[in-house]
Structures are given as C-alpha cells and as structure tokens.
Amino acid sequence: MDLPRSFTIRESSHRICNPFTSEKLALLGQTISPVPGTRLLDLASGKGEMLCTWARDHGVTGTGVDISTVFLHAARERAAELGVADRVDFVHADASGHVADDPVGIAACIGATWIGSGVAGTVELLRRSLAPGGMMLIGEPYWRREPEDQATVEGCHMARKDDLLTLPELLQQFGDLGCDVVEMVVADQDSWDRYVAAQWLNIRRWLDANPDDELADEMRAELTAAPVQHARYQREYLGWGVFVLMDR
C-alpha cells in the first residue's frame, strides 16, 4: 500500500503537496486561530506540513494519515525539525477508512477528496471524527473559468467537465450538505506556478540522476509536455482552495 513512484518524484522537493504556498497555509491557520490543544485529524496528510507548522504556531496536536511511506518519512522528519514530534503522529494507512478514536476539533482532507469518492463522501467521513462545534477543512479544485471544449477538460487532468464545479457551485454544494462555509483561502496563479513548476525541476533532476530507470521514458514525456499544458490549460482554468466548514 503506497503511492506510485511518479508522485514522489514530482513532489520530491515539496513540503506542501498542493497549490498552497507556505504563506497561504499560515494564513489559513491565522483565519481559524485554533486554540492551543485543539486536536486535528488530517486525512491524506502528505508530508504533514499543516499539522507540523500548526503544532508549532498554534499549539495544536493530532494525527496525519497517509498512504505514502515516502511522504510519512518526510512528515516525521519535519515534526522533529520543528520540535513538535511529541505533539503529532503520523499513521501509514488508507485514509478513506480512518476515523479518529476520539472526536477532534478539526478534521481535514486537503486536496484528496477521492478518499470519500468526492466532496459529499469526504464531508461525511470527516463528520465521523468531528466533535460538536468543530471545523472541517476541505481542499478542492474548481473551475476558475468554465472550459470551452474537451481538450481543455483533459488538459486540466479531468475526464469530464462535470468532474469539477465552479466556485459558486462548490460553495452551494457545501450548503446543500448541511454545512456553513465560515472561511476560505484560495490559491492564485502564482501559487499554482510554485506547485506545478517546481515539479518540472524535480523531474529533470531525477531524470539526470536516473536515465536508465524504467520510469524514465514516462517522466521524460511528462516533462516535455507539462510546461505548455500548464500555461495553456491549468493556469487559466483551474482554481483550488481550502474551505472551512461547520455543521449547521
């Protein structure tokens, strides 16, 4: 049980495995200002940057759950680096089946709603771990501009236009699920660039060091196509944000 190697190659230098900069992640923490001691469950936690930095900056405690052994190793190293290893822990597991043993004040899934087969299922999964009055954090892409054709849809790594909503439609969906949207912090084009463009250098450095690897042809093809695809499609059409929800 692990992520394909291509994921860890692309994101080898990333601390945040989504289109957020460290500044936006810090802003998100500031907007909700969790009280010290708040427990946070982070499903599909990646390299644990949110949990580790919020433990340092806000005194939260909690657990990150992820399927990637590479990302979990990085998360534990980050916790030690920031001096919060006694306040956070990381579990190697399929996040889609994980429910906290005790209710938490914040339940999060940042950019991985496939663990619940979409937004609705992920909200329901997070609710199973959430204490009354707690907050859910959902990271989710949306159409920044509606795509005009199928080429644009596929250029944004989607199969169908209906795979994503516009931002107003996404906010309406949260409401239809019985949630108040109480905050949001969204990526901009620059933070998308920092996430995606950094992958190109990661891939190139990996290719230079591993020219005979069985993934080399696949990663070379990706690097050749990715910059134009990002500029033509993803940068213009894809939005992404973290939405803070509370049950009504």
Side-chain angles (χ1 to χ4, degrees):
M1 182 174 61
D2 214 327
L3 279 179
R5 277 200 303 144
S6 57
F7 281 76
T8 57
I9 293 167
R10 286 186 203 98
E11 302 192 350
S12 57
S13 71
H14 291 54
R15 282 184 174 166
I16 301 171
C17 299
N18 57 59
F20 252 20
T21 60
S22 57
E23 292 80 10
K24 286 187 178 290
L25 183 62
L27 175 61
L28 178 65
Q30 292 163 13
T31 62
I32 65 173
S33 298
V35 300
T38 298
R39 286 198 57 77
L40 191 162
L41 174 67
D42 190 4
L43 298 183
S45 56
K47 297 183 182 180
E49 188 71 1
M50 181 172 70
L51 189 53
C52 290
T53 56
W54 288 13
R56 176 195 64 190
D57 298 339
H58 300 285
V60 305
T61 65
T63 299
V65 181
D66 203 273
I67 200 172
S68 170
T69 55
V70 172
F71 289 174
L72 288 170
H73 177 73
R76 294 179 182 117
E77 286 193 333
R78 184 64 165 154
E81 176 188 352
L82 297 183
V84 297
D86 60 334
R87 283 179 266 166
V88 301
D89 66 294
F90 294 95
V91 176
H92 180 230
D94 181 354
S96 64
H98 190 94
V99 177
D101 293 334
D102 298 303
V104 299
I106 301 173
C109 177
I110 307 299
T113 56
W114 58 81
I115 69 170
S117 300
V119 168
T122 300
V123 167
E124 188 56 38
L125 176 63
L126 295 179
R127 279 179 169 145
R128 294 171 62 191
S129 296
L130 196 65
M135 293 180 173
M136 291 177 277
L137 309 181
I138 297 279
E140 182 71 1
Y142 55 86
W143 291 123
R144 183 171 172 266
R145 291 171 52 189
E146 292 200 50
E148 295 89 358
D149 51 37
Q150 185 63 20
T152 302
V153 172
E154 294 176 5
C156 294
H157 303 294
M158 299 294 150
R160 301 173 303 125
K161 178 182 175 181
D162 292 345
D163 288 343
L164 294 182
L165 303 174
T166 65
L167 181 55
E169 290 169 340
L170 180 59
L171 296 174
Q172 181 63 53
Q173 182 184 25
F174 292 137
D176 292 343
L177 293 170
C179 299
D180 287 326
V181 181
V182 297
E183 254 294 359
M184 69 179 190
V185 178
V186 301
D188 54 27
Q189 288 181 309
D190 181 65
S191 51
W192 265 111
D193 292 345
R194 300 285 29 89
Y195 175 56
V196 176
Q199 296 179 12
W200 310 336
L201 183 56
N202 292 339
I203 293 171
R204 175 53 193 263
R205 285 175 170 165
W206 181 87
L207 284 168
D208 288 347
N210 301 275
D212 299 320
D213 191 279
E214 63 182 3
L215 286 180
D217 289 346
E218 174 187 333
M219 302 310 293
R220 161 43 61 191
E222 180 176 329
L223 178 57
T224 299
V228 173
Q229 184 178 32
H230 172 63
R232 180 172 292 158
Y233 299 121
Q234 299 160 351
R235 195 175 195 273
E236 296 301 316
Y237 289 89
L238 275 183
W240 194 90
V242 178
F243 304 91
V244 184
L245 314 177
M246 297 180 71
D247 279 327
R248 289 177 181 159

